[in-house]
Amino acid sequence: MNKRLYHLYCRVFQTTLFLVSPLLPYKKQRLITGARSILTLPAIIKESHKQHICIISDTHVITLPIVQELLIELQKENIHYSIFDEVPPNPTVASIEKAKIFYSEQKCDSLVAIGGGSSIDSAKALGALIAYPKKSLYQMKGILKVHRAIPFLIAIPSTAGTGSEATVAAVVTDPSLKEKYAINSFPLIPKVAILDSELTRTLPLHLTSTTAMDALTHAIEAYIGNSSTLYSRKASIDATTIIFNEIEKVHKDVNLDSSRQKLLIASYRGGEAFTRSYVGNVHALSHPLTAYYGIAHGLANAVTLPHVLIFYGTKAHKKLASLAREAHIIEKGKSDEETATLFIEKIRALNKALDIKEGFKEIREEDLGALIHHALGEANPLYPVPVIFDEDDCRTIYHNLMK
Ligand SMILES: [Fe+2]
C-alpha cells in the first residue's frame, strides 16, 4: 500500500472509532479518595456481598503498614481473602497464568488489586482469563475482544502514574515474543477505584517522578490526538495542571501528603483522558524499550515525550499551545508556535529538575528494525496521532534517543 493510501486507511479507521465512541459502554466508576481511604475496603466488600477476595499485589506493597492494617480490618470483619503477591515489575503472561491457578485453587470470587500499574493490569488480565477460560491473553490483544463481565474488581494504586484504575487497558509483556501489548476492553474497567496517598508514601523518589511523567504523557497524548472529547480534554488539563504544580514539591519533600494525594488525582484524570482518547507515538515507541531493555514504563515515556513532541513540529503546535494555556503552564498572548515551543522546553526542564535523563544508551542499532516493527504495529492504525509515523520517522527518534 502506498504511503498516502495507508494514511487514509489509518485516518478512516480512527475516525470510525471516534464516531462510534459515544455509543461505547463507559461505566461510571465508584471513586473513593483521601489518605487512609483504603480502610473503606471492608465495607465495600460487604456491600457487594463477595465471599472471598483475591488480593493481587507485590512483595513490597503488601508489607506497607497501611496494607497490613487493612488485612487486620478484613480479619475483624470476617472477610475471607487470599494474597497473590508475585506480580513482577512488568506483568508477564506466565505470572498472570500463575495468578489464575491461584485464584481458582483458593475459590475466590472477586479481585482487589493493590499496587502499581503492574498489579492493576495483572488483575484486569486475570479477570479476562477467568471470563474466557479457553482463550489466551494473546487472543485478547487489541481492542474490544473481551465482552463478558470479569469478576468484581477494585483497584487501589500505589503509584501515581499509570492511571490503570480508570482505564480499559491491561498491558502485558510476553518475553518469548519480546512484545508488550495491551488488551483494551470495557469490562476491564475496575468497578471501584480507591486513591489513598498513604500507599505512595514509601515509593522511591525516581519512581514517583517518572510515574508522574507517565501520567503527563497520557494527558498530553490524549489532548493532542484527533479523538479528544470535551470530557477527555478537561481531564488532560486537570492532570497537566496538577503535575506541573505538585511534582517538584514532592521531589523535594516526599512527605507532602496533600501533594501526593493530588498526584493520584492527576494520574486518575490522565487515565480517564487516554482511555477515551488514546495515547500516541510516545507510548508506541516506548513500549518496545521496556520489552527489549527492561526500561521502566514511566522512565521510557518521560525521556521519549519531548523527542516526539519536537518531531511533530507545526502539526502539534495548536493543540500543545491550547493545553499549555488552559493548564496555566504558559501565559496567554503568545503565538501557538511560541507557546508550544515554550511548553516543550518546560517539559524538558521538568525532566531535568526530576533527574530524568535525555536518552538511552541501551538502544542498539541492530535492534532498531524490531523496535520499529513493534512501535508501528502498536501505533497504526489505532492511535489518532498528530503525525502518522513511518519507519524513517521512528528511526530518527530512536537515533535521537541514542545520542
Ligand atoms: Fe503510560
Side-chain angles (χ1 to χ4, degrees), residues 162 214 218 283 297 301:
T162 69
D214 182 28
H218 298 153
H283 274 76
H297 177 67
N301 277 332

Side-chain angles (χ1 to χ4, degrees), residues 22-44:
L23 308 172
L24 296 175
Y26 288 105
K27 291 176 290 186
K28 195 73 192 159
Q29 279 180 298
R30 182 168 173 191
L31 179 65
I32 297 162
T33 66
R36 299 180 63 75
S37 58
I38 193 174
L39 298 176
T40 60
L41 185 72
I44 298 168

